Amino acid sequence: MDAAPIIARAAEYLNPAERGDRSSGSVAAAILSEQGDLFFGVCIDTPCSMGFCAEHAAAAAMITARQSEIAMVVAVTRDDSGALQVLPPCGRCREFMYQLDDRNLAARVVLGPERVLTLADLLPERWSAPAAR
């Protein structure tokens, strides 16, 4: 799958909502599994650090479906003008995807319409033992 279709699919799940000092849905993610299924998630932001990223939500949906190997992942948001932006996964999300399945080092991470790197590219000096790489 090209990056453009998965970016567009992730954007369908953007649904920003504010509830006092809490918010959700301002970032959406799509994960394409190696089995060809798409999983989606949105962020939940809370003031006490109990929230989570959109990639975590999409990964949880994938794990719930008894899959763990990621082929491609993307996260998107809209800027103040409404333009769609692709976001790189934060360090916690990068590590989380790796921890779900070692094979996810080969996952393609969409960083823009024309820019895709592997998770291994984004985690070049992993903390795990070299033998595990």
Side-chain angles (χ1 to χ4, degrees):
M1 176 180 273
D2 280 342
I6 196 169
I7 291 170
R9 289 297 311 276
E12 294 173 17
Y13 288 83
L14 287 168
N15 61 351
E18 301 280 334
R19 288 170 225 73
D21 58 356
R22 298 166 306 274
S23 64
S24 62
S26 62
V27 176
I31 290 178
L32 174 66
S33 73
E34 278 295 334
Q35 293 176 317
D37 297 313
L38 278 169
F39 300 95
F40 304 95
V42 297
C43 67
I44 297 177
D45 297 312
T46 63
C48 59
S49 302
M50 289 176 38
F52 51 83
C53 297
E55 296 93 332
H56 279 97
M62 180 182 66
I63 293 294
T64 301
R66 295 184 173 93
Q67 296 182 48
S68 63
E69 193 173 359
I70 298 169
M72 184 178 281
V73 59
V74 66
V76 298
T77 191
R78 293 201 182 276
D79 66 17
D80 291 338
S81 72
L84 190 64
Q85 301 290 316
V86 174
L87 300 173
C90 70
R92 183 172 180 251
C93 287
R94 296 172 194 196
E95 182 66 25
F96 185 70
M97 290 183 284
Y98 169 52
Q99 291 294 322
L100 291 177
D101 192 317
D102 291 346
R103 297 173 295 180
N104 287 339
L105 289 173
R108 292 170 289 154
V109 180
V110 178
L111 300 174
E114 303 294 325
R115 187 161 185 238
V116 178
L117 296 174
T118 67
L119 186 57
D121 292 331
L122 299 176
L123 287 173
E125 297 294 327
R126 293 178 299 285
W127 61 271
S128 60
R133 291 185 187 170

